[in-house]
Amino acid sequence: MISFSPKPRLNSSAQKAANRRRRQLISSCFLLVFFGYALGVYRFFSRRLPSGEETKMENDDVDNGNHENPHHGVDFNANNANANCPITVTDALTRASNPSRVHIGVVQQNTASGTDVSCGLPPPETSDGLGPQTPCSTSTFPPDQRPMCKHSRNLKVFEGLTAELATGPVVARHVGYRLYDGQAFFMQVDAHVFFVENWDRIIIQEWQATKNEMAVLSTYLTDVVGSIDPHTHNSKRKTRPIMCNTQFEANAQGKYLRHGSQPESVPAIKGVPQLQPYWAAGFSFSRGHFPIQVPYDPYLPMIFQGEEISIGVRGFTHGYDFYAPEKSVNFHVYAQGENKVKRKNVKSFWENSKAHAGMGKLAMSRLLAIVGMVPDTEDYDRVEEDVYGTGSVRTAEMFYKIFGIEVVQKKTKKKLCDFVSSGNMHREFHEKHLRLDGIGIDYNKIGADFAIPAFLGQQ
């Protein structure tokens, strides 16, 4: 297994934070072993990223150019009773150029009845994909025809969160991040997607093209319908979405930012993923230190909207930069069109709302306060804020000011997408201010007062 192993210099506060995180994850190992898992050794680090070239990193498998076959982990969040999950896992392994190097972690939230489809078992062996699932030990098919059996040692399924206990994607994905086991790369997707041929090699090559250690490739996935050639399994799309559209929304939990529909077009920047301001939960690909540095906050039950701005702002403050992939390597099965009927019976954690009344509002107060969207407030749950809070590389205030988000008036400036989708953000920020050592974009040189042309004249 190839792990990311830089040896940054840690100051005393960073060392204490690393130790706290180590204690947390080691305790979770015992819990996971209790559920039947034997996890390997974790690598931990916490660091304050430099503003210049103050930190020298030792070369590892990725730094010295050996990118051919690094191990990488995939985190699937299987929402309640999702029958697509084993199909998605099978497809990921079948379409990978190096399936033995793909490690998959699944957070499965089935009902306690035991009648739901299991993501720990291969899909049914029938031609129509219906019927009971057959364990690998009793299958009449050879392992080569059942990739989930052939690569079963690379699959971890956490079943401790049943549908009856589900409190939303934030808590479930927090558990999923704990399944990460030190691989070089980490990808997060939903449990109902399909992959293109050689997706693992393509996405690693895209990440390499950024020449940015802190690059996180992320987007809302395009609908699978009409996207993958059924014979070659290659993508039929020349377009891809880019994350630039957000606005404030209000409900009983409060006012928060919600990313809306994103523009999809032929990339303006060629040969490299394109810089964007926002992060998407449905697809995220990065080096393995991202889920360690920016873990999901487990103290946010019953949160759905707000999840993405939490990780996005916290990631920005830790020094991460978000990019739209130039090429899509997977596509989403949305509950619309020909797939509407197939997805209609997928359960939702909202079914448990009455059992957790009031928790979502308290969680949203914590989420908004941590990312600085409720200035000057002290009235929120601060438990382990040093672990699940913002970083020290950049400020949340800088993020809001540059990208036209007014947290007091609760409004966003218009036409940010003009600056982003045109490639001008990439040209101004990535091409001019990526640090020489490749450790992120230097926003100190950009400055919080950078004037996005599309905002000029707006109040």
Side-chain angles (χ1 to χ4, degrees), residues 178-360:
R178 287 174 177 262
L179 297 177
Y180 168 70
D181 196 19
Q183 290 83 7
F185 294 98
F186 181 88
M187 185 172 75
Q188 172 179 313
V189 293
D190 291 331
H192 33 270
V193 301
F194 284 89
F195 294 78
V196 302
E197 195 72 17
N198 298 319
W199 65 268
D200 51 337
R201 179 171 296 177
I202 294 170
I203 198 63
I204 290 174
Q205 290 173 345
E206 287 215 43
W207 180 89
Q208 292 172 339
T210 68
K211 295 180 171 53
N212 184 354
E213 176 68 23
M214 310 304 287
V216 180
L217 312 188
S218 185
T219 192
Y220 285 167
L221 298 180
T222 301
D223 195 331
V224 69
V225 176
S227 294
I228 300 177
D229 187 294
H231 304 292
T232 65
H233 304 289
N234 294 326
S235 173
K236 296 169 64 177
R237 301 282 182 180
K238 302 298 182 183
T239 61
R240 57 91 183 94
I242 190 166
M243 301 294 297
C244 58
N245 182 30
T246 195
Q247 59 188 356
F248 279 94
E249 181 181 79
N251 64 15
Q253 295 180 345
K255 279 191 174 182
Y256 49 83
L257 277 176
R258 177 182 180 180
H259 301 331
S261 298
Q262 305 301 320
E264 179 168 356
S265 61
V266 175
I269 301 295
K270 307 298 183 182
V272 62
Q274 188 170 324
L275 192 66
Q276 62 187 14
Y278 303 133
W279 178 85
F283 176 81
S284 179
F285 182 87
S286 66
R287 286 298 298 268
H289 47 75
F290 181 66
I292 296 297
Q293 292 284 80
V294 195
Y296 267 87
D297 185 348
Y299 302 104
L300 298 179
M302 306 307 292
I303 291 294
F304 184 71
Q305 304 298 347
E307 163 196 9
E308 293 173 320
I309 201 66
S310 171
I311 294 291
V313 172
R314 289 171 54 215
F316 176 86
T317 65
H318 280 280
Y320 289 94
D321 302 306
F322 307 118
Y323 297 78
E326 183 182 17
K327 302 172 185 176
S328 297
V329 297
N330 45 25
F331 297 91
H332 195 281
V333 179
Y334 287 104
Q336 61 188 29
E338 64 185 59
N339 288 314
K340 186 174 182 178
V341 174
K342 297 177 184 178
R343 291 287 312 281
K344 70 177 182 179
N345 294 323
V346 175
K347 297 181 181 296
S348 166
F349 75 95
W350 294 116
E351 297 173 10
N352 301 333
S353 295
K354 290 184 178 179
H356 304 288
M359 293 178 66

Side-chain angles (χ1 to χ4, degrees), residues 38-93:
L39 302 187
V41 178
Y42 285 92
R43 286 190 182 274
F44 306 90
F45 69 94
S46 178
R47 61 175 171 172
R48 184 187 183 105
L49 294 174
S51 58
E53 295 196 50
E54 301 166 9
T55 297
K56 296 296 183 182
M57 297 171 55
E58 291 188 1
N59 288 342
D60 68 353
D61 59 284
V62 173
D63 294 321
N64 64 25
N66 181 17
H67 298 80
E68 184 63 25
N69 294 313
H71 286 265
H72 49 287
V74 182
D75 171 36
F76 290 131
N77 185 38
N79 56 327
N80 305 6
N82 192 329
N84 288 96
C85 186
I87 298 174
T88 295
V89 173
T90 297
D91 196 61
L93 294 169

Side-chain angles (χ1 to χ4, degrees), residues 116 174 209 287 291 306 366:
D116 296 324
H174 168 83
R287 286 298 298 268
R366 170 183 167 92

